Amino acid sequence: MATISDVAALAGVSTATVSRALNGKATVDRELVARVQQAADELGYRPNGPARNLRRQEAAVVALIISDVENPFFTAIARGVEDVAHEVGYSVVLCNSDENAEKESRYIDVAIQERVAGVILSPTGTTSSVDKLAARGTAFVAVDRPLPQQDSDVVLVDTRLAARQATDHLIAQGYDRVGCITGPAGVRTADDRLAGYRDALKSAKRPSSTKLVRRTEYKAAGAHKAAAELMSQPDPPDALLVANSAMAVGVLQALREQGVRPGRDVGIVAFDDAPWAEPVDPPLSVVAQPAYEIGTVAARLLLARIADSTRTATTTTLGARLIERGSSHRT
Amino acid sequence: MATISDVAALAGVSTATVSRALNGKATVDRELVARVQQAADELGYRPNGPARNLRRQEAAVVALIISDVENPFFTAIARGVEDVAHEVGYSVVLCNSDENAEKESRYIDVAIQERVAGVILSPTGTTSSVDKLAARGTAFVAVDRPLPQQDSDVVLVDTRLAARQATDHLIAQGYDRVGCITGPAGVRTADDRLAGYRDALKSAKRPSSTKLVRRTEYKAAGAHKAAAELMSQPDPPDALLVANSAMAVGVLQALREQGVRPGRDVGIVAFDDAPWAEPVDPPLSVVAQPAYEIGTVAARLLLARIADSTRTATTTTLGARLIERGSSHRT
DNA sequence: ATGAAAGCGCTAACAA
DNA sequence: TTGTTAGCGCTTTCAT
């Protein structure tokens, strides 16, 4: 594979000039630039990334560590990050931590090892593996969940408020016994959504009973079981706030099995506006989180921090939007 | 950040010994290994990836270039690739070509530049940017779609047969005018699915009319429009074969808008077993492609080719499975 | 404006 | 078994 010396030889100049010419430094004669360019083209020259990064002591790469590639919420974030990063010539490496602290830690090690310019991640619960990033001075920003006792840039959604509004909406629609299926204790978004749900019950002066609440993994299977349990209690809920779209799949499934129709029989609002939320029957009411925007904001923060590591950390909180569809109306 | 020399100094040995010890070479004294290890731990030493890659002339990284991160079919492939690659210590870099030849080409450039060990990609139609990989001798394998006139490793699904079987099934269920909504002309999977659909009509001695066929992007919006058009014709289809799950979203939406119930009024079979296919009402009949397996097979082929670039190219064709649910039954 | 030369951190010949 | 040393390909002083 052609190296910079090959190009230099062919163009009849030094490697330094080739480097300067190809990197657009102003101090190179126009004619030489052309000659170098032609030689490079002729040889199909591509700079050797590792060599460049070694010399520059940094790669124009950011790592994005998300907890679930199959979750549309996170893929939308990825899109946002990608779009911003590419604008300024950065590549994005997507890593899948699978909500697993060990995998997350491993990817962080890789990121450090490859000397990426920065890391964006949705931290898996209690982990402190981000300390490694902080210790090395690698720029990073957290999305979706704050880092415990870490003063870093964070991009969040006001998910507690969103949960409250969604619950308010269900109550306003005449549902009386609103239940909640949320994620595991300790996962911040799960806790917040539950808190918002309780806020709404309290302000509507409804009693809040633990019999109407279930916590499980953020997956379809757990939610399926939880919903089945809730619905076969003596006093089943007549509405459900569901904490993400994968869970909604499980809940819908459980309701179908019990012959219960969403909306008419049991009101449903789920977090995340999945593509299938609209075409299902009845259409699913959702809390749409600004996932793409989370990604763009996080990417911009990261780039700013890469450029200036002394910036003070900021927390950005974005709002979510309730989209009312058939599943939260009695008619 | 600590370098190998720092570790060497602290352990009182040469850098070569540190390198050997940390890379598990057999020829190092046990006691020294321990000393080196301890020094490395103490300093929090992480080998510099670019330096290592520069020296080794190859990174233990494979690039996976897929045409849509938001499509569950491709994310499942990604999972498969990841799992196999990680087993042998390779990292996977996920890139999103967005079904866009230019983006694909750019990612291929990056892959070459970073000197990745190999590339797995779902080629966007007619592109010849993979030639660049071939020219550089970078190992690669194609998934989902074959490369035009390129003798490389390929992992495919027998999608024509699957489309035929799905159509057979619809006909067997008593649907009389089966239509088809498939992807753009020139995209191999789209063409194959259409061909399989026609195979079935022919062998059932049904006339095949272009009035029952629509081609659009592999997206919800296009399929929505196509379905709406098809259904408002004078002689609308009473069943539809839909070429992927994003399209199915659009089709279902269109049917809802026209007050047409899947199954009872219009039989539906769609490609790809999306998570929401089961909980919708009625549950969606699908052609389940072995996406995860495509990923694992492709990864193994790639690793084999990395190890031995002279291997002759192979084509692996996997089967798909028809899952019959409510949307393809009249009752 | 250009070239010579040093060196980024690591691994692998080659010596000892 | 260990150390010495020479690069991998690039960018960037420092001279010129």
Side-chain angles (χ1 to χ4, degrees):
Chain A
M1 210 170 301
T3 73
I4 198 171
S5 326
D6 300 330
V7 178
L10 184 57
V13 298
S14 74
T15 61
T17 299
V18 173
S19 174
R20 286 191 277 249
L22 262 26
N23 287 301
K25 304 286 183 204
T27 67
V28 188
D29 190 279
R30 302 195 146 217
E31 193 225 330
L32 276 194
V33 173
R35 224 160 77 205
V36 167
Q37 190 62 60
Q38 197 196 322
D41 289 347
E42 198 173 321
L43 294 169
Y45 170 71
R46 298 271 145 196
N48 180 309
R52 166 178 285 178
N53 297 339
L54 173 57
R55 177 61 227 225
R56 295 225 247 244
Q57 294 288 57
E58 179 177 288
V61 172
V62 311
L64 173 59
I65 306 177
I66 59 181
S67 35
D68 186 4
V69 253
E70 312 216 26
N71 183 332
F73 172 68
F74 289 113
T75 51
I77 291 180
R79 270 259 158 70
V81 171
E82 251 190 326
D83 287 352
V84 170
H86 284 171
E87 257 169 37
V88 296
Y90 275 68
S91 299
V92 177
V93 171
L94 193 51
C95 312
N96 191 213
S97 73
D98 250 339
E99 206 69 80
N100 171 334
E102 197 205 317
K103 269 185 143 184
E104 173 184 292
S105 169
R106 199 164 123 203
Y107 274 119
I108 287 178
D109 285 343
V110 172
I112 290 172
Q113 187 147 324
E114 296 306 321
R115 304 303 197 260
V116 301
V119 177
I120 295 175
L121 80 170
S122 60
T124 68
T126 58
T127 178
S128 66
S129 49
V130 290
D131 293 351
K132 291 185 283 191
L133 292 171
R136 293 221 136 53
T138 300
F140 67 96
V141 357
V143 292
D144 190 42
R145 309 159 195 183
L147 255 10
Q149 75 199 89
Q150 186 78 48
D151 80 323
S152 65
D153 288 305
V154 183
V155 184
L156 301 172
V157 171
D158 191 344
T159 199
R160 179 170 181 165
L161 177 63
R164 181 194 167 135
Q165 290 170 340
T167 309
D168 283 344
H169 163 65
L170 284 167
I171 293 171
Q173 291 303 312
Y175 296 102
D176 230 33
R177 294 177 52 76
V178 181
C180 177
I181 298 181
T182 188
V187 174
R188 178 63 174 266
T189 51
D191 294 342
D192 282 355
R193 284 164 202 180
L194 179 57
Y197 157 80
R198 288 191 170 134
D199 291 344
L201 292 188
K202 181 182 271 183
S203 94
K205 310 259 196 311
R206 307 288 165 113
S208 121
S209 156
T210 58
K211 288 200 176 145
L212 293 177
V213 172
R214 285 291 181 286
R215 310 194 66 144
T216 93
E217 264 195 318
Y218 266 135
K219 298 269 171 75
H224 180 280
K225 186 155 161 284
E229 276 175 28
L230 282 175
M231 298 309 297
S232 37
Q233 289 180 133
D235 277 312
D238 65 356
L240 247 20
L241 176 67
V242 183
N244 86 352
S245 65
M247 285 176 148
V249 165
V251 170
L252 259 26
Q253 178 75 9
L255 296 186
R256 255 184 60 76
E257 287 163 6
Q258 308 214 350
V260 174
R261 183 172 164 84
R264 192 192 59 199
D265 303 328
V266 176
I268 304 278
V269 176
F271 271 75
D272 296 344
D273 191 21
W276 51 268
E278 181 133 29
V280 298
D281 182 44
L284 186 67
S285 296
V286 298
V287 175
Q289 300 193 79
Y292 179 86
E293 195 186 352
I294 293 174
T296 58
V297 170
R300 276 191 251 283
L301 284 172
L302 185 69
L303 293 171
R305 179 158 294 281
I306 290 170
D308 171 12
S309 62
T310 67
R311 283 180 83 257
T312 75
T314 65
T315 296
T316 307
T317 305
L318 303 173
R321 193 165 45 94
L322 177 66
I323 302 180
E324 303 180 19
R325 299 199 182 104
S327 72
S328 60
H329 293 88
R330 276 251 152 79
T331 49
Chain B
M1 209 170 302
T3 73
I4 198 171
S5 326
D6 299 330
V7 178
L10 183 57
V13 298
S14 74
T15 60
T17 299
V18 174
S19 174
R20 286 189 280 249
L22 263 25
N23 287 301
K25 305 285 183 205
T27 67
V28 188
D29 189 279
R30 303 195 145 219
E31 194 225 328
L32 276 193
V33 173
R35 225 161 76 207
V36 167
Q37 190 63 61
Q38 198 197 321
D41 288 348
E42 199 172 321
L43 294 169
Y45 169 71
R46 298 271 144 195
N48 180 308
R52 166 180 283 175
N53 297 338
L54 173 58
R55 176 63 229 221
R56 295 226 249 243
Q57 295 289 55
E58 179 178 288
V61 172
V62 311
L64 173 59
I65 306 175
I66 60 181
S67 35
D68 186 4
V69 255
E70 312 216 28
N71 183 332
F73 172 67
F74 289 113
T75 51
I77 291 180
R79 271 259 158 68
V81 171
E82 251 190 326
D83 287 351
V84 170
H86 285 172
E87 257 170 37
V88 296
Y90 275 68
S91 299
V92 177
V93 171
L94 193 51
C95 312
N96 190 215
S97 74
D98 249 338
E99 206 70 83
N100 170 335
E102 195 206 317
K103 269 186 142 183
E104 173 183 293
S105 170
R106 199 165 123 202
Y107 274 119
I108 287 179
D109 285 342
V110 171
I112 290 172
Q113 187 146 324
E114 296 306 321
R115 305 302 196 259
V116 301
V119 177
I120 296 175
L121 80 171
S122 60
T124 67
T126 57
T127 177
S128 65
S129 49
V130 290
D131 293 350
K132 290 185 284 190
L133 292 170
R136 293 220 136 53
T138 300
F140 67 96
V141 359
V143 292
D144 189 43
R145 309 159 195 183
L147 255 10
Q149 75 197 87
Q150 186 79 46
D151 80 323
S152 65
D153 288 305
V154 183
V155 184
L156 301 172
V157 170
D158 191 344
T159 200
R160 179 170 181 162
L161 177 64
R164 181 195 167 133
Q165 290 170 340
T167 310
D168 283 344
H169 163 64
L170 284 167
I171 293 171
Q173 290 303 312
Y175 296 101
D176 229 34
R177 294 177 52 76
V178 181
C180 177
I181 298 182
T182 189
V187 175
R188 180 61 174 267
T189 50
D191 294 343
D192 282 355
R193 284 163 203 182
L194 180 58
Y197 157 80
R198 289 194 169 131
D199 291 346
L201 291 188
K202 182 183 268 181
S203 94
K205 310 261 198 307
R206 307 287 165 114
S208 121
S209 155
T210 56
K211 288 198 177 148
L212 294 177
V213 173
R214 284 291 181 286
R215 310 194 66 145
T216 94
E217 264 195 317
Y218 265 135
K219 299 269 171 75
H224 180 279
K225 186 156 161 283
E229 276 175 28
L230 282 174
M231 297 310 295
S232 36
Q233 288 180 134
D235 276 314
D238 64 356
L240 247 20
L241 176 67
V242 183
N244 87 353
S245 64
M247 285 176 149
V249 165
V251 169
L252 258 28
Q253 177 75 7
L255 296 186
R256 257 185 57 77
E257 287 163 5
Q258 309 215 348
V260 174
R261 184 174 162 85
R264 191 191 60 200
D265 302 327
V266 176
I268 304 280
V269 176
F271 271 74
D272 296 343
D273 190 21
W276 51 269
E278 182 134 29
V280 298
D281 181 44
L284 186 66
S285 296
V286 298
V287 175
Q289 301 193 79
Y292 181 85
E293 195 186 352
I294 293 175
T296 58
V297 170
R300 276 191 251 282
L301 284 172
L302 185 69
L303 292 171
R305 178 157 294 280
I306 289 169
D308 172 13
S309 62
T310 67
R311 284 179 82 257
T312 74
T314 65
T315 296
T316 307
T317 305
L318 304 172
R321 192 165 46 92
L322 178 65
I323 302 180
E324 303 179 19
R325 299 200 182 102
S327 73
S328 60
H329 294 88
R330 276 252 151 79
T331 50

